[in-house]
Amino acid sequence: MKKLLFLFSVLLIFFSFVKAKHPYHVGSVEINYNQKSKTFEITGRFFLDDLENGLNNKYGKSLHFNDPKFKSQLNEALKNYSAEYFKLKGNNKFLNVGFVGYEEDHESVNIYLESEKIDNPKKVEAAVSFLYNLFDDQINIVHIIVNGNRKSEKLTYPNRYLFQQF
């Protein structure tokens, strides 16, 4: 009986740690102005399981990263998701932002976006709310880089708007 109780205690302790893969819901978004192409190149980095759950929750599907058969569905879902949860303005003008693609590894996903052309941005505004549809404790760290000048800000749910002057 003591052995059974001990085994049960060990299993209970083990499974209590398995559920929470990471205690924080954090993503990062880098908005980098490329002087050569005159576009903003945007990279969003998120935990794979969080983004997968966010997409599945939003679209009522069962999509899975690291499974090639879902590649085209994930491209479409990420394109739509990014269009809804990321907006960009430069010099008081909304910029069209297109989905370029994504890369994944076993723990994270990088989403790549690119804006239409803009000359010499002085004021950059962004609305960033990735994963706000899933977590009310989501934090997005946003870096805006223009001509080598980097400005960073932390957006915590429900805050989604920021602007920087360059």
Side-chain angles (χ1 to χ4, degrees):
M1 182 68 173
K2 287 183 181 181
K3 287 182 180 179
L4 186 60
L5 186 59
F6 176 75
L7 180 62
F8 180 72
S9 298
V10 169
L11 288 175
L12 182 65
I13 292 170
F14 174 75
F15 285 111
S16 68
F17 290 107
V18 171
K19 189 168 183 169
K21 290 190 177 186
H22 49 88
Y24 301 105
H25 300 112
V26 179
S28 70
V29 177
E30 183 175 281
I31 305 167
N32 189 16
Y33 183 68
N34 182 326
Q35 281 199 309
K36 198 176 242 187
S37 67
K38 297 192 180 299
T39 62
F40 283 101
E41 298 170 343
I42 300 103
T43 302
R45 293 178 183 91
F46 305 95
F47 285 110
L48 182 143
D49 60 327
D50 290 348
L51 188 56
E52 187 173 272
N53 290 333
L55 292 173
N56 290 335
N57 177 277
K58 174 74 176 165
Y59 299 113
K61 296 187 178 191
S62 184
L63 304 172
H64 302 284
F65 288 103
N66 291 323
D67 187 339
K69 71 180 181 184
F70 291 103
K71 184 82 170 168
S72 65
Q73 291 175 311
L74 283 166
N75 272 314
E76 186 65 25
L78 287 169
K79 176 183 173 186
N80 295 334
Y81 192 84
S82 297
E84 184 172 345
Y85 292 101
F86 181 81
K87 306 288 185 204
L88 186 64
K89 284 173 79 174
N91 298 338
N92 298 317
K93 176 188 176 255
F94 275 103
L95 300 173
N96 291 321
V97 176
F99 176 75
V100 176
Y102 74 95
E103 287 181 320
E104 59 189 87
D105 66 30
H106 65 285
E107 291 182 13
S108 66
V109 175
N110 292 342
I111 301 172
Y112 302 108
L113 310 169
E114 186 173 27
S115 77
E116 66 181 288
K117 291 185 179 196
I118 179 173
D119 287 320
N120 200 22
K122 296 291 183 194
K123 181 179 181 183
V124 179
E125 300 172 74
V128 180
S129 55
F130 287 106
L131 297 174
Y132 282 12
N133 70 308
L134 191 62
F135 301 115
D136 63 2
D137 63 346
Q138 177 70 26
I139 298 169
N140 288 315
I141 309 294
V142 182
H143 308 284
I144 302 174
I145 305 161
V146 176
N147 301 326
N149 188 0
R150 178 187 187 103
K151 297 186 179 184
S152 300
E153 196 163 329
K154 177 177 86 168
L155 295 176
T156 304
Y157 179 90
N159 298 327
R160 63 189 70 214
Y161 302 105
L162 64 99
F163 78 93
Q164 295 292 341
Q165 295 278 104
F166 290 91

